[in-house]
């Protein structure tokens, strides 16, 4: 058994994943478009012209977790919501702060990145692609 996460977008998947690859210091992954993936689908599902250049699938490994990204087909309907929070936990407070600052560019900070009572750092934000993030440091008794 394994666990992964899928995140859908409404046409801006390529921009979002390129941004996340930069934040997490990874190579920009390859993108399978709906036009390229059309041969994988049954002939009953005709791909609308406007969907052909959109992302059918791509993946990044973020902090050891595979995350799959795609542009959702119009037939399924896109619902932007806050039903998902992506969590990043770092041992290094400076690295966590850098990630927080990069993700918050052109986004909205819900809880500023600050030190909390137990010595850890913590912050929450919504990035420019409307994804919600919790960035925190792990508690290390030798760093307090």
């Amino acid at each position: 058994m394994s666990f992964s996460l899928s995140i859908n977008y409404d046409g801006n998947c390529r921009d979002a994943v390129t941004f996340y690859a930069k934040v997490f210091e990874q190579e920009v992954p390859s993108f399978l478009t709906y036009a390229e993936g059309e041969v994988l689908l049954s002939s009953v599902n005709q791909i609308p012209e406007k969907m052909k250049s959109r992302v059918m699938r791509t993946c990044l490994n973020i902090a050891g977790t595979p995350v799959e990204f795609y542009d959702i087909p119009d037939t399924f309907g896109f619902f932007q919501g806050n039903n998902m929070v992506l969590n990043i936990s770092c041992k290094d407070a400076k690295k966590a702060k850098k990630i927080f600052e990069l993700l918050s560019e052109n986004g909205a900070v819900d809880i500023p990145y600050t030190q909390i009572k137990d010595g850890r750092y913590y912050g929450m934000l919504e990035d420019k692609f409307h994804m919600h993030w919790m960035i925190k440091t792990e508690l290390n008794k030798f760093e307090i």
Side-chain angles (χ1 to χ4, degrees):
M1 183 180 295
S2 66
F3 173 79
S4 67
L5 180 63
S6 293
I7 302 173
N8 63 58
Y9 292 88
D10 191 24
N12 61 345
C13 179
R14 186 180 305 270
D15 292 338
V17 172
T18 300
F19 174 71
Y20 298 141
K22 176 185 165 193
V23 168
F24 295 104
E25 300 173 347
Q26 294 194 23
E27 295 289 324
V28 175
S30 60
F31 297 91
L32 177 69
T33 66
Y34 279 92
E36 295 164 335
E38 193 168 25
V39 296
L40 304 173
L41 303 172
S42 71
S43 59
V44 176
N45 297 322
Q46 294 294 321
I47 304 295
E49 196 59 39
K50 80 174 205 174
M51 285 298 298
K52 289 189 177 194
S53 64
R54 291 187 177 184
V55 177
M56 182 176 180
R57 185 184 184 284
T58 191
C59 190
L60 278 179
N61 190 309
I62 299 176
T65 301
V67 182
E68 196 170 296
F69 301 86
Y70 60 96
D71 285 311
I72 193 163
D74 293 336
T75 55
F76 293 124
F78 177 79
F79 301 99
Q80 186 68 57
N82 61 358
N83 60 335
M84 182 186 322
V85 175
L86 301 172
N87 298 289
I88 299 294
S89 182
C90 296
K91 291 183 180 180
D92 182 345
K94 288 181 184 176
K95 175 80 170 174
K97 182 178 182 180
K98 178 182 174 186
I99 290 170
F100 186 90
E101 289 171 350
L102 288 168
L103 285 171
S104 64
E105 288 176 11
N106 299 313
V109 173
D110 298 318
I111 300 173
Y113 182 78
T114 56
Q115 190 170 25
I116 56 178
K117 290 181 181 180
D118 66 4
R120 292 182 294 151
Y121 287 83
Y122 170 86
M124 289 186 70
L125 64 101
E126 178 182 341
D127 71 23
K128 65 184 176 182
F129 297 103
H130 305 287
M131 294 304 301
H132 296 264
W133 295 84
M134 180 186 311
I135 310 299
K136 59 189 175 192
T137 56
E138 298 171 0
L139 185 58
N140 183 335
K141 63 182 179 181
F142 301 110
E143 295 177 0
I144 296 175

